[in-house]
Amino acid sequence: MAPSGSRSDDCWRVLYWIPVLFISLIVAWSYYAYVVQLCIETVENMGEKIVYLLVYHMLFIMFVWSYWQTIFTKPTNPLKEFHLSHPDKELLERDDRRESQQEILRRIAKDLPIYTRTMSGAIRYCDRCLLLKPDRCHHCSACDMCILKMDHHCPWVNNCVGFANYKFFMLFLAYSLLYCLFVTATDLRYFIEFWTNGLPDTQAKFHIMFLFFAASTFSVSLAFLFAYHCWLVCKNRSTLEAFRAPAFQHGPDKNGFSLGTNKNFLQVFGEEKKYWLLPVFSSLGDGCSFPTCLVNPDPEQPSLPPGRNPSIKSAGESHQFPPKPLRESQSRLLNNGQSEGSEDRDKRGTNNPGLTIEKET
């Protein structure tokens, strides 16, 4: 007999799918309303009908494909070197003093590409997953696991949006926005005719009028959400990092992972342009380590202690977390196009002597 706790968890997992079911029903109804009631039953011009159906089905396929990928692409676990070994777990369990535990974690982290800390300067450690958190990794209470480059947990896809599916999520927002805008634009004429009684009062009237209201409403909300995430991509930040800047050895720095707009875009969408508009994985890196470009905090951030220059590290700090060699794709982000990127660096102030690029020491 299954324990009651297990049955309760299963019930909650079923409830989590209600928002996805709601979206699926809305999309299924919109397909019927647009294809059957509008294009087949109401539109009389054959050329117009064919164009509407062709464009609609292209957007519909890309929208459903990207939505499916966002839902069913499960977050990947951090690499095994971030997980504690059995002897290290026993050491942490035996010693409950914070200082001793941090010393153990620092010893383990010294060979890992970890640059971020907690706001108090401690090593970021997950006591549920028993691992040292890679940079930009956070534990999701809904998924009950650590998510690489976690952006947020989205109830509308019943999944965490992170490194594994952030590109899919961006394309889902883009294609759903285009889908709603196209339906709104092509439905507007017939909505006005029905509203002014220019067309006979048929069954299609309800579907066409409600379709216009639904599509236009979703268009507004999707436009704001898509614009916000485009801004995040250009800044190379997650939603969590936009609200709380990641903390490095020199303190919080919301621009710590930004490499310039072009390279930030490539980190999410990849270097091969043929995959940019397709919901197939093409992001750069492994999700556990990221190129960092540590700059002086801007005026919006808390000031550093007097006399502390973020570009100058103490001898103990400079060797505390030696990075692993970057993947080839990540190295190209830092090395390619240095000449063409000089103008961008001038705009971002990276000619400032306070700039330091993390590299192997």
Side-chain angles (χ1 to χ4, degrees), residues 106-343:
R106 278 194 290 269
R107 174 180 58 79
I108 302 170
K110 65 184 177 63
D111 295 322
L112 295 174
I114 297 176
Y115 297 103
T116 54
R117 307 286 190 88
T118 65
M119 298 304 291
S120 63
I123 303 296
R124 299 172 65 245
Y125 173 72
C126 179
D127 55 5
R128 290 186 62 85
C129 299
L130 301 178
L131 58 82
L132 275 71
K133 293 181 182 178
D135 292 343
R136 317 184 82 175
C137 176
H138 298 272
H139 186 90
C140 174
S141 57
C143 297
D144 195 26
M145 64 180 296
C146 283
I147 309 297
L148 296 178
K149 195 186 176 184
M150 180 177 176
D151 188 87
H152 68 288
H153 183 89
C154 181
W156 299 108
V157 299
N158 190 28
N159 198 4
C160 259
V161 177
F163 173 77
N165 62 353
Y166 188 66
K167 178 195 173 184
F168 305 149
F169 178 73
M170 288 294 298
L171 292 178
F172 160 63
L173 292 180
Y175 286 123
S176 58
L177 177 58
L178 291 175
Y179 177 83
C180 290
L181 289 175
F182 177 78
V183 170
T184 302
T186 54
D187 189 40
L188 177 60
R189 168 189 163 189
Y190 300 95
F191 169 80
I192 295 174
E193 291 184 0
F194 273 122
W195 189 267
T196 57
N197 297 318
L199 290 174
D201 194 359
T202 62
Q203 180 186 358
K205 180 176 182 178
F206 164 78
H207 292 283
I208 290 176
M209 295 183 71
F210 189 72
L211 181 64
F212 176 81
F213 283 120
S216 58
T217 301
F218 277 111
S219 296
V220 174
S221 58
L222 285 169
F224 282 104
L225 186 58
F226 180 62
Y228 175 68
H229 278 277
C230 286
W231 178 78
L232 289 178
V233 169
C234 292
K235 297 293 185 180
N236 204 340
R237 298 176 197 166
S238 65
T239 300
L240 294 176
E241 291 166 352
F243 285 95
R244 175 179 287 185
F248 295 87
Q249 292 182 1
H250 65 272
D253 190 342
K254 66 181 182 180
N255 295 317
F257 292 107
S258 181
L259 305 173
T261 302
N262 292 336
K263 294 177 182 178
N264 294 342
F265 176 87
L266 293 179
Q267 201 171 94
V268 174
F269 287 88
E271 297 175 322
E272 298 195 46
K273 297 180 181 179
K274 61 184 178 182
Y275 296 127
W276 285 358
L277 301 181
L278 297 177
V280 295
F281 185 81
S282 60
S283 301
L284 302 181
D286 57 9
C288 289
S289 60
F290 299 88
T292 60
C293 200
L294 305 182
V295 299
N296 285 325
D298 63 28
E300 298 178 9
Q301 296 178 306
S303 58
L304 294 173
R308 179 73 182 272
N309 189 329
S311 63
I312 302 175
K313 302 177 182 179
S314 66
E317 290 177 329
S318 61
H319 295 283
Q320 198 159 10
F321 296 109
K324 292 172 59 179
L326 294 176
R327 293 166 63 102
E328 181 182 355
S329 58
Q330 293 175 323
S331 298
R332 285 198 296 269
L333 280 174
L334 287 174
N335 298 328
N336 283 354
Q338 290 184 349
S339 59
E340 63 185 31
S342 59
E343 295 182 2

Side-chain angles (χ1 to χ4, degrees), residues 8-44:
S8 175
D9 291 342
D10 291 339
C11 290
W12 278 112
R13 290 192 184 98
V14 172
L15 292 177
Y16 289 154
W17 286 100
I18 290 179
V20 177
L21 179 62
F22 173 76
I23 293 295
S24 301
L25 291 175
I26 290 291
V27 172
W29 167 80
S30 71
Y31 183 89
Y32 168 77
Y34 191 89
V35 173
V36 178
Q37 297 296 333
L38 179 63
C39 292
I40 297 177
E41 299 291 339
T42 305
V43 178
E44 297 179 351

